[in-house]
Amino acid sequence: MEKKHEICRPFPPTRNPVRKTCAEIVSEARQSLRVQSTRRPFTPRDAHRQLFGTSSARVDRESRPPSSFSLHAQNFDAPDSRPGSGTRLAPLNHEPKFPVPCDAKDAFKGVPKPPAEPLEVKRGVAGARARLLRAGSLPTIPPVEKRTDVTERLNTDSGQKQPSVKRLHSTDHTTVHCAPHRAGSHRTASESRLKQPGDDSGVRPTDCTTGQRTELEAGVIATCTGEDVESLMWKNKIGPLLQQLESVAAGSSEGSADYLCDLCDGLHGTLAEADMLGRHCERRSGILRTLFRLIDLNSAQLNLHIAKLCLALCVSGNNLLNICKLIFQISRSENNDILFQNNSIIDSLLSVLHHEEVSASGEALLYCVGTLKFLSGNSAILRLLLDKNCIGVAQKLVQRLHTAEEAHFTIAGHILVQLTATLRNLAEHPDSRPHFVSFGVLSELCLVLHRHRKDRDVCTNVSRICSKLSSYSECRLALAQTPNCYSLFLELLSKHHQKQDLVVRLLFTLVNLTAKSEEARLQLYQCSGCMDTLLRLYDGYQRRGSSPHTSPGKPAAPPLSVDEDEDVLVKLVSVLANMCIHPAVGPALANNTACLQLLMETLELRSMQESEELLVNVAATINNLSFYQEESSVIRHSQLAITKLMLKLLLSSSADAMLEATRVYGNMSLSKDVRDFIMQNKVHRFVVTLLDSKSTEMCFSACGVLTNLAMDPPNRVSLSLEGASVKLLDCLKDFGPGDWQLAGQVCQALWNLITGGSEEPLDTRERESLLDTLTTYLDEEEALKWTDNEDMRDYQRTCWELEFQPVAQKLVRTLQTPNQTD
């Protein structure tokens, strides 16, 4: 809070000009310019779960991805491991070399001789490869003893119950979502026996050694054993599971969906145990074909299990897109939310977001994030998403979307609409705020605003996040430290001035930023075109919103309805009220003719019944501006006009409106013209009745007005006739011991009423009662005995010494010498 010109009084209390006490700071805060706050805009939920809501700016439905579609097994590409283009690869132009042991005497003695081949062997590259594999002669391989237990376990476990599914994805989502390759344990036959082109590590027949032979034998042993293990796993476990899946699916009896889910879990666990997840499983295509056929059973629960297993098998291209669409389709129904709570599919989705690129899998990312948007609307799943570091994953994705090429800019924008909506839902949870701050999400979102400032959907979602989080100090600080955030907000206000839901949230964010930060007030004001943008908005929405209130015969809006245009004005006026608190900004706004005219126009056009909050905010803004009443200021020359407009607030039934109007009168009544207007229009009677209020703030403001009115001797008689002195005495007795600042203001008003008048405002009994009360209050021990808390006692003592004691002592001397005037 900043210093404010105090209500004029014949004598100021003695103060220490060198050091301010805590009571002086509190006193200045009470009498200073006040910060204006306002309620956060309401964010409605979409009635239906869809990618783009009914209010979306993406009106071209043909160009945006659909929310409704049908998926069947035929939509999937079964041989997922083949190249997507379908182009046959050209044969490799090289001669294979055979690493064989050499004989020192005859270099060609050890070269193996291929056996005779049948004439009908398949020709071409594949045939040549087959001949090479069959022709490779190897030395005798010793028995593999260490692998015996593996083979026996596979044979013995084939008839047992399948293991339960294992959790494959880590919650921090820092590893790839494909299963890792086994180091040297899984290679194809051609990889084991043929040297690849360009590989210089192959063994030439001319430089072979005994050690190289041993190395070759070990490689062959590992390869053959790995193939045997995988073959046995397929024969004894995986194959039977797939057959069961197909047979149960063919029967499709009641209750088969649950059994199929169990079989899918068993298959998932078996593949994980054998390290056959990912893309390195030789028979992966067969597994996928079986899974894809099950999708036509149209079971949401089963399809989620299928999708989780397909993602674990690292599907790509069209299959990845269709799997993400399948999950998205399931998530569109709120009834299916429970399925996501009981399934680790969320881990798989976050893993997709962590690894897929928009250039290759943009549409798949879109439906994946769209699913998370729907699920984040469920409070239970929202907690799960926070625990699984969804905000951290989203921040990384936002960073990758920043670098999206121009060719992918449109799909990146679609993804950001879903991603920012998800973050908006996450921002609702109190535990999300530390994540937003620690990951620097607010700074990233400002970059999104800058890059996608033409996208109204993205801008609206980001404004909702900022609007929500700016209500909290740690998030306000993070946002205020973002470079150029104020100029960015002003640019968006100017560009999208017709989009009310975006404008009102940006203004609300600015209200929060300027509420408690001097630096924010100055930085906002110093932005290029700040006042032009704000006043242009003010004028535009005032013109839009004034017609419903001024048109005769038009029915009034229901009491609970919110005038959206007026809500913009409420936030905008609050920004102005907060800005003018800064000592460098306030004088400029007090001299801004356009600003003051708009404020006065609002007072004139709006009614208390329909625009209470707006009028209260306007009165508070004018009160703040009235602090800067320089000789040449515009507000000084408009005092009388403002005083007249304030009457509707003072005489209303709204306590907030009466309080703000009284505060304005307290400042404006420094002018003789204003004091005359108040007395001529009998406003002083109403001010005197405010002393009966049980609100200390109301009594304090009313005392300020009466103090100024009593500066004119003719007014003292009228005030005494209204019983002002008696009410001031009652106010002192009721509130004095609990509020020494208010007690001091009461004494100031009484001193102005009593001194210099020809008539005595108090009779003898009232005079004695006042003197007894002051004498009691001036006894420090007696005055502070009602305060038990030690810290509060120190504060009360300081207020008593500075705010009450000097004025009370002077008033006591006046009462004891009634004919003496100071």
Side-chain angles (χ1 to χ4, degrees), residues 621-658:
T621 306
I622 291 176
N623 181 56
N624 287 356
L625 291 173
S626 65
F627 168 56
Y628 310 100
Q629 294 192 53
E630 301 174 359
E631 288 293 334
S632 59
S633 66
V634 176
I635 194 168
R636 187 180 183 89
H637 296 292
S638 306
Q639 285 181 332
L640 192 56
I642 292 172
T643 303
K644 294 177 181 178
L645 292 172
M646 283 291 167
L647 274 179
K648 70 162 68 173
L649 276 71
L650 186 66
L651 302 177
S652 70
S653 59
S654 168
D656 291 335
M658 286 189 286

mmCIF file of all heavy atoms in Angstrom, residues 621-658:
data_model
loop_
_atom_site.group_PDB
_atom_site.id
_atom_site.type_symbol
_atom_site.label_atom_id
_atom_site.label_comp_id
_atom_site.label_asym_id
_atom_site.label_seq_id
_atom_site.Cartn_x
_atom_site.Cartn_y
_atom_site.Cartn_z
ATOM 1 N N THR A 621 -12.206 3.132 -8.219
ATOM 2 C CA THR A 621 -11.198 3.695 -9.124
ATOM 3 C C THR A 621 -11.158 5.213 -9.011
ATOM 4 O O THR A 621 -10.072 5.823 -8.953
ATOM 5 C CB THR A 621 -11.495 3.277 -10.567
ATOM 6 O OG1 THR A 621 -11.610 1.855 -10.650
ATOM 7 C CG2 THR A 621 -10.404 3.745 -11.517
ATOM 8 N N ILE A 622 -12.314 5.829 -8.982
ATOM 9 C CA ILE A 622 -12.365 7.291 -8.845
ATOM 10 C C ILE A 622 -11.791 7.720 -7.498
ATOM 11 O O ILE A 622 -11.091 8.746 -7.398
ATOM 12 C CB ILE A 622 -13.822 7.775 -9.015
ATOM 13 C CG1 ILE A 622 -14.262 7.588 -10.468
ATOM 14 C CG2 ILE A 622 -13.965 9.231 -8.594
ATOM 15 C CD1 ILE A 622 -15.710 7.947 -10.735
ATOM 16 N N ASN A 623 -12.070 6.955 -6.453
ATOM 17 C CA ASN A 623 -11.496 7.279 -5.150
ATOM 18 C C ASN A 623 -9.971 7.237 -5.189
ATOM 19 O O ASN A 623 -9.292 8.099 -4.622
ATOM 20 C CB ASN A 623 -12.025 6.303 -4.105
ATOM 21 C CG ASN A 623 -11.482 6.589 -2.723
ATOM 22 O OD1 ASN A 623 -11.628 7.689 -2.206
ATOM 23 N ND2 ASN A 623 -10.833 5.605 -2.130
ATOM 24 N N ASN A 624 -9.416 6.209 -5.871
ATOM 25 C CA ASN A 624 -7.962 6.137 -5.995
ATOM 26 C C ASN A 624 -7.411 7.318 -6.798
ATOM 27 O O ASN A 624 -6.369 7.882 -6.461
ATOM 28 C CB ASN A 624 -7.562 4.824 -6.662
ATOM 29 C CG ASN A 624 -7.724 3.628 -5.746
ATOM 30 O OD1 ASN A 624 -8.063 3.777 -4.570
ATOM 31 N ND2 ASN A 624 -7.493 2.438 -6.270
ATOM 32 N N LEU A 625 -8.127 7.692 -7.863
ATOM 33 C CA LEU A 625 -7.668 8.814 -8.683
ATOM 34 C C LEU A 625 -7.771 10.135 -7.930
ATOM 35 O O LEU A 625 -6.978 11.063 -8.164
ATOM 36 C CB LEU A 625 -8.490 8.889 -9.970
ATOM 37 C CG LEU A 625 -8.266 7.760 -10.992
ATOM 38 C CD1 LEU A 625 -9.277 7.877 -12.133
ATOM 39 C CD2 LEU A 625 -6.852 7.795 -11.544
ATOM 40 N N SER A 626 -8.741 10.238 -7.009
ATOM 41 C CA SER A 626 -8.937 11.498 -6.286
ATOM 42 C C SER A 626 -7.780 11.814 -5.338
ATOM 43 O O SER A 626 -7.681 12.923 -4.819
ATOM 44 C CB SER A 626 -10.251 11.453 -5.496
ATOM 45 O OG SER A 626 -10.185 10.459 -4.478
ATOM 46 N N PHE A 627 -6.909 10.857 -5.127
ATOM 47 C CA PHE A 627 -5.722 11.112 -4.331
ATOM 48 C C PHE A 627 -4.795 12.120 -5.031
ATOM 49 O O PHE A 627 -4.105 12.897 -4.391
ATOM 50 C CB PHE A 627 -4.991 9.786 -4.091
ATOM 51 C CG PHE A 627 -3.617 9.933 -3.525
ATOM 52 C CD1 PHE A 627 -3.390 10.626 -2.350
ATOM 53 C CD2 PHE A 627 -2.526 9.366 -4.161
ATOM 54 C CE1 PHE A 627 -2.121 10.750 -1.821
ATOM 55 C CE2 PHE A 627 -1.254 9.487 -3.639
ATOM 56 C CZ PHE A 627 -1.051 10.186 -2.463
ATOM 57 N N TYR A 628 -4.816 12.094 -6.389
ATOM 58 C CA TYR A 628 -3.904 12.940 -7.166
ATOM 59 C C TYR A 628 -4.621 14.207 -7.632
ATOM 60 O O TYR A 628 -4.766 14.453 -8.826
ATOM 61 C CB TYR A 628 -3.363 12.162 -8.366
ATOM 62 C CG TYR A 628 -2.800 10.804 -7.999
ATOM 63 C CD1 TYR A 628 -3.553 9.634 -8.186
ATOM 64 C CD2 TYR A 628 -1.527 10.681 -7.459
ATOM 65 C CE1 TYR A 628 -3.047 8.398 -7.854
ATOM 66 C CE2 TYR A 628 -1.016 9.437 -7.114
ATOM 67 C CZ TYR A 628 -1.777 8.303 -7.317
ATOM 68 O OH TYR A 628 -1.276 7.074 -6.969
ATOM 69 N N GLN A 629 -5.090 15.007 -6.676
ATOM 70 C CA GLN A 629 -5.850 16.210 -7.026
ATOM 71 C C GLN A 629 -4.900 17.417 -7.114
ATOM 72 O O GLN A 629 -4.888 18.289 -6.250
ATOM 73 C CB GLN A 629 -6.951 16.465 -5.997
ATOM 74 C CG GLN A 629 -8.026 15.395 -5.999
ATOM 75 C CD GLN A 629 -9.243 15.814 -5.203
ATOM 76 O OE1 GLN A 629 -9.815 16.890 -5.431
ATOM 77 N NE2 GLN A 629 -9.651 14.983 -4.261
ATOM 78 N N GLU A 630 -4.123 17.414 -8.162
ATOM 79 C CA GLU A 630 -3.271 18.577 -8.415
ATOM 80 C C GLU A 630 -4.121 19.706 -8.994
ATOM 81 O O GLU A 630 -5.238 19.492 -9.476
ATOM 82 C CB GLU A 630 -2.142 18.180 -9.356
ATOM 83 C CG GLU A 630 -1.269 17.048 -8.807
ATOM 84 C CD GLU A 630 -0.243 16.571 -9.824
ATOM 85 O OE1 GLU A 630 -0.243 17.125 -10.951
ATOM 86 O OE2 GLU A 630 0.538 15.666 -9.496
ATOM 87 N N GLU A 631 -3.553 20.886 -8.988
ATOM 88 C CA GLU A 631 -4.305 22.063 -9.433
ATOM 89 C C GLU A 631 -4.811 21.912 -10.863
ATOM 90 O O GLU A 631 -5.909 22.339 -11.190
ATOM 91 C CB GLU A 631 -3.424 23.318 -9.314
ATOM 92 C CG GLU A 631 -3.173 23.768 -7.876
ATOM 93 C CD GLU A 631 -4.448 24.256 -7.209
ATOM 94 O OE1 GLU A 631 -5.362 24.707 -7.913
ATOM 95 O OE2 GLU A 631 -4.527 24.162 -5.964
ATOM 96 N N SER A 632 -4.003 21.316 -11.720
ATOM 97 C CA SER A 632 -4.370 21.226 -13.138
ATOM 98 C C SER A 632 -4.977 19.885 -13.525
ATOM 99 O O SER A 632 -5.244 19.643 -14.703
ATOM 100 C CB SER A 632 -3.126 21.469 -14.006
ATOM 101 O OG SER A 632 -2.122 20.500 -13.697
ATOM 102 N N SER A 633 -5.183 18.975 -12.545
ATOM 103 C CA SER A 633 -5.666 17.644 -12.899
ATOM 104 C C SER A 633 -7.121 17.692 -13.353
ATOM 105 O O SER A 633 -7.917 18.528 -12.908
ATOM 106 C CB SER A 633 -5.527 16.705 -11.699
ATOM 107 O OG SER A 633 -6.374 17.103 -10.650
ATOM 108 N N VAL A 634 -7.429 16.771 -14.255
ATOM 109 C CA VAL A 634 -8.780 16.692 -14.799
ATOM 110 C C VAL A 634 -9.771 16.319 -13.707
ATOM 111 O O VAL A 634 -10.891 16.853 -13.657
ATOM 112 C CB VAL A 634 -8.826 15.660 -15.948
ATOM 113 C CG1 VAL A 634 -10.263 15.492 -16.463
ATOM 114 C CG2 VAL A 634 -7.903 16.060 -17.071
ATOM 115 N N ILE A 635 -9.369 15.435 -12.818
ATOM 116 C CA ILE A 635 -10.305 14.976 -11.779
ATOM 117 C C ILE A 635 -10.635 16.108 -10.807
ATOM 118 O O ILE A 635 -11.731 16.164 -10.251
ATOM 119 C CB ILE A 635 -9.720 13.752 -11.040
ATOM 120 C CG1 ILE A 635 -10.827 13.071 -10.225
ATOM 121 C CG2 ILE A 635 -8.542 14.135 -10.149
ATOM 122 C CD1 ILE A 635 -10.460 11.718 -9.698
ATOM 123 N N ARG A 636 -9.713 17.023 -10.596
ATOM 124 C CA ARG A 636 -9.985 18.145 -9.694
ATOM 125 C C ARG A 636 -11.072 19.048 -10.275
ATOM 126 O O ARG A 636 -11.931 19.549 -9.548
ATOM 127 C CB ARG A 636 -8.705 18.944 -9.459
ATOM 128 C CG ARG A 636 -8.861 20.027 -8.392
ATOM 129 C CD ARG A 636 -7.556 20.783 -8.199
ATOM 130 N NE ARG A 636 -7.654 21.764 -7.137
ATOM 131 C CZ ARG A 636 -7.402 21.542 -5.860
ATOM 132 N NH1 ARG A 636 -7.024 20.335 -5.469
ATOM 133 N NH2 ARG A 636 -7.508 22.499 -4.957
ATOM 134 N N HIS A 637 -11.043 19.228 -11.583
ATOM 135 C CA HIS A 637 -12.051 20.073 -12.221
ATOM 136 C C HIS A 637 -13.391 19.348 -12.393
ATOM 137 O O HIS A 637 -14.374 19.984 -12.794
ATOM 138 C CB HIS A 637 -11.543 20.541 -13.586
ATOM 139 C CG HIS A 637 -10.331 21.423 -13.505
ATOM 140 N ND1 HIS A 637 -10.370 22.696 -12.962
ATOM 141 C CD2 HIS A 637 -9.045 21.222 -13.883
ATOM 142 C CE1 HIS A 637 -9.164 23.252 -13.008
ATOM 143 N NE2 HIS A 637 -8.332 22.366 -13.565
ATOM 144 N N SER A 638 -13.406 18.056 -12.129
ATOM 145 C CA SER A 638 -14.650 17.274 -12.304
ATOM 146 C C SER A 638 -15.228 16.830 -10.967
ATOM 147 O O SER A 638 -16.108 15.967 -10.931
ATOM 148 C CB SER A 638 -14.363 16.026 -13.162
ATOM 149 O OG SER A 638 -13.759 16.364 -14.382
ATOM 150 N N GLN A 639 -14.751 17.404 -9.867
ATOM 151 C CA GLN A 639 -15.182 16.960 -8.545
ATOM 152 C C GLN A 639 -16.683 17.074 -8.336
ATOM 153 O O GLN A 639 -17.328 16.140 -7.848
ATOM 154 C CB GLN A 639 -14.453 17.773 -7.465
ATOM 155 C CG GLN A 639 -13.008 17.402 -7.260
ATOM 156 C CD GLN A 639 -12.365 18.238 -6.168
ATOM 157 O OE1 GLN A 639 -12.768 19.377 -5.932
ATOM 158 N NE2 GLN A 639 -11.362 17.696 -5.518
ATOM 159 N N LEU A 640 -17.239 18.195 -8.698
ATOM 160 C CA LEU A 640 -18.657 18.416 -8.437
ATOM 161 C C LEU A 640 -19.518 17.455 -9.246
ATOM 162 O O LEU A 640 -20.504 16.896 -8.739
ATOM 163 C CB LEU A 640 -19.027 19.871 -8.748
ATOM 164 C CG LEU A 640 -20.410 20.332 -8.267
ATOM 165 C CD1 LEU A 640 -20.555 20.115 -6.765
ATOM 166 C CD2 LEU A 640 -20.642 21.794 -8.635
ATOM 167 N N ALA A 641 -19.158 17.256 -10.508
ATOM 168 C CA ALA A 641 -19.918 16.324 -11.354
ATOM 169 C C ALA A 641 -19.851 14.903 -10.800
ATOM 170 O O ALA A 641 -20.860 14.171 -10.783
ATOM 171 C CB ALA A 641 -19.378 16.375 -12.776
ATOM 172 N N ILE A 642 -18.673 14.513 -10.333
ATOM 173 C CA ILE A 642 -18.514 13.168 -9.772
ATOM 174 C C ILE A 642 -19.341 13.027 -8.496
ATOM 175 O O ILE A 642 -19.993 11.994 -8.264
ATOM 176 C CB ILE A 642 -17.024 12.888 -9.492
ATOM 177 C CG1 ILE A 642 -16.250 12.795 -10.806
ATOM 178 C CG2 ILE A 642 -16.855 11.614 -8.683
ATOM 179 C CD1 ILE A 642 -14.749 12.706 -10.628
ATOM 180 N N THR A 643 -19.353 14.074 -7.674
ATOM 181 C CA THR A 643 -20.110 14.035 -6.418
ATOM 182 C C THR A 643 -21.593 13.819 -6.681
ATOM 183 O O THR A 643 -22.267 13.055 -5.978
ATOM 184 C CB THR A 643 -19.906 15.344 -5.646
ATOM 185 O OG1 THR A 643 -18.510 15.549 -5.423
ATOM 186 C CG2 THR A 643 -20.631 15.315 -4.323
ATOM 187 N N LYS A 644 -22.105 14.465 -7.709
ATOM 188 C CA LYS A 644 -23.516 14.292 -8.050
ATOM 189 C C LYS A 644 -23.804 12.866 -8.510
ATOM 190 O O LYS A 644 -24.841 12.276 -8.153
ATOM 191 C CB LYS A 644 -23.911 15.282 -9.138
ATOM 192 C CG LYS A 644 -23.856 16.743 -8.700
ATOM 193 C CD LYS A 644 -24.191 17.668 -9.850
ATOM 194 C CE LYS A 644 -24.123 19.143 -9.421
ATOM 195 N NZ LYS A 644 -24.412 20.062 -10.554
ATOM 196 N N LEU A 645 -22.889 12.302 -9.315
ATOM 197 C CA LEU A 645 -23.102 10.941 -9.815
ATOM 198 C C LEU A 645 -23.018 9.910 -8.698
ATOM 199 O O LEU A 645 -23.600 8.819 -8.802
ATOM 200 C CB LEU A 645 -22.069 10.621 -10.896
ATOM 201 C CG LEU A 645 -22.213 11.398 -12.210
ATOM 202 C CD1 LEU A 645 -21.022 11.132 -13.131
ATOM 203 C CD2 LEU A 645 -23.513 11.003 -12.920
ATOM 204 N N MET A 646 -22.297 10.237 -7.647
ATOM 205 C CA MET A 646 -22.122 9.288 -6.544
ATOM 206 C C MET A 646 -23.369 9.162 -5.667
ATOM 207 O O MET A 646 -23.452 8.249 -4.837
ATOM 208 C CB MET A 646 -20.939 9.713 -5.672
ATOM 209 C CG MET A 646 -19.581 9.408 -6.265
ATOM 210 S SD MET A 646 -19.289 7.637 -6.310
ATOM 211 C CE MET A 646 -17.859 7.591 -7.398
ATOM 212 N N LEU A 647 -24.312 10.062 -5.821
ATOM 213 C CA LEU A 647 -25.503 10.018 -4.975
ATOM 214 C C LEU A 647 -26.264 8.707 -5.126
ATOM 215 O O LEU A 647 -26.799 8.170 -4.145
ATOM 216 C CB LEU A 647 -26.424 11.196 -5.310
ATOM 217 C CG LEU A 647 -26.149 12.509 -4.588
ATOM 218 C CD1 LEU A 647 -27.112 13.581 -5.045
ATOM 219 C CD2 LEU A 647 -26.259 12.310 -3.071
ATOM 220 N N LYS A 648 -26.337 8.177 -6.349
ATOM 221 C CA LYS A 648 -27.092 6.943 -6.557
ATOM 222 C C LYS A 648 -26.472 5.774 -5.791
ATOM 223 O O LYS A 648 -27.169 4.862 -5.369
ATOM 224 C CB LYS A 648 -27.184 6.617 -8.051
ATOM 225 C CG LYS A 648 -25.875 6.195 -8.685
ATOM 226 C CD LYS A 648 -26.091 5.462 -10.024
ATOM 227 C CE LYS A 648 -26.633 6.424 -11.064
ATOM 228 N NZ LYS A 648 -26.675 5.758 -12.414
ATOM 229 N N LEU A 649 -25.158 5.806 -5.595
ATOM 230 C CA LEU A 649 -24.510 4.756 -4.820
ATOM 231 C C LEU A 649 -24.745 4.951 -3.327
ATOM 232 O O LEU A 649 -25.021 3.991 -2.601
ATOM 233 C CB LEU A 649 -23.000 4.725 -5.102
ATOM 234 C CG LEU A 649 -22.526 3.951 -6.338
ATOM 235 C CD1 LEU A 649 -22.920 4.684 -7.621
ATOM 236 C CD2 LEU A 649 -21.026 3.741 -6.302
ATOM 237 N N LEU A 650 -24.624 6.195 -2.881
ATOM 238 C CA LEU A 650 -24.769 6.480 -1.458
ATOM 239 C C LEU A 650 -26.181 6.161 -0.966
ATOM 240 O O LEU A 650 -26.371 5.686 0.154
ATOM 241 C CB LEU A 650 -24.433 7.941 -1.179
ATOM 242 C CG LEU A 650 -24.389 8.360 0.285
ATOM 243 C CD1 LEU A 650 -23.248 7.662 1.003
ATOM 244 C CD2 LEU A 650 -24.267 9.875 0.414
ATOM 245 N N LEU A 651 -27.175 6.399 -1.801
ATOM 246 C CA LEU A 651 -28.571 6.208 -1.413
ATOM 247 C C LEU A 651 -29.106 4.834 -1.780
ATOM 248 O O LEU A 651 -30.306 4.590 -1.672
ATOM 249 C CB LEU A 651 -29.438 7.287 -2.062
ATOM 250 C CG LEU A 651 -29.049 8.734 -1.731
ATOM 251 C CD1 LEU A 651 -29.937 9.716 -2.479
ATOM 252 C CD2 LEU A 651 -29.119 8.981 -0.224
ATOM 253 N N SER A 652 -28.224 3.945 -2.241
ATOM 254 C CA SER A 652 -28.668 2.602 -2.632
ATOM 255 C C SER A 652 -28.769 1.701 -1.406
ATOM 256 O O SER A 652 -28.411 2.083 -0.284
ATOM 257 C CB SER A 652 -27.682 1.999 -3.642
ATOM 258 O OG SER A 652 -26.451 1.693 -3.002
ATOM 259 N N SER A 653 -29.225 0.492 -1.624
ATOM 260 C CA SER A 653 -29.338 -0.486 -0.533
ATOM 261 C C SER A 653 -28.096 -1.354 -0.413
ATOM 262 O O SER A 653 -28.051 -2.249 0.436
ATOM 263 C CB SER A 653 -30.565 -1.378 -0.770
ATOM 264 O OG SER A 653 -30.447 -2.052 -2.017
ATOM 265 N N SER A 654 -27.099 -1.114 -1.244
ATOM 266 C CA SER A 654 -25.878 -1.915 -1.234
ATOM 267 C C SER A 654 -24.878 -1.333 -0.243
ATOM 268 O O SER A 654 -24.472 -0.169 -0.352
ATOM 269 C CB SER A 654 -25.252 -1.965 -2.638
ATOM 270 O OG SER A 654 -23.945 -2.489 -2.591
ATOM 271 N N ALA A 655 -24.451 -2.125 0.723
ATOM 272 C CA ALA A 655 -23.483 -1.655 1.714
ATOM 273 C C ALA A 655 -22.142 -1.341 1.061
ATOM 274 O O ALA A 655 -21.478 -0.355 1.418
ATOM 275 C CB ALA A 655 -23.302 -2.712 2.800
ATOM 276 N N ASP A 656 -21.726 -2.171 0.080
ATOM 277 C CA ASP A 656 -20.452 -1.921 -0.599
ATOM 278 C C ASP A 656 -20.497 -0.607 -1.367
ATOM 279 O O ASP A 656 -19.523 0.162 -1.369
ATOM 280 C CB ASP A 656 -20.135 -3.069 -1.553
ATOM 281 C CG ASP A 656 -19.805 -4.358 -0.827
ATOM 282 O OD1 ASP A 656 -19.370 -4.279 0.334
ATOM 283 O OD2 ASP A 656 -19.988 -5.438 -1.423
ATOM 284 N N ALA A 657 -21.614 -0.348 -2.038
ATOM 285 C CA ALA A 657 -21.744 0.896 -2.797
ATOM 286 C C ALA A 657 -21.739 2.107 -1.868
ATOM 287 O O ALA A 657 -21.090 3.135 -2.154
ATOM 288 C CB ALA A 657 -23.030 0.873 -3.631
ATOM 289 N N MET A 658 -22.460 2.011 -0.756
ATOM 290 C CA MET A 658 -22.473 3.121 0.204
ATOM 291 C C MET A 658 -21.076 3.397 0.752
ATOM 292 O O MET A 658 -20.660 4.553 0.903
ATOM 293 C CB MET A 658 -23.439 2.801 1.350
ATOM 294 C CG MET A 658 -24.906 2.910 0.969
ATOM 295 S SD MET A 658 -25.994 2.777 2.413
ATOM 296 C CE MET A 658 -25.862 1.031 2.748
#
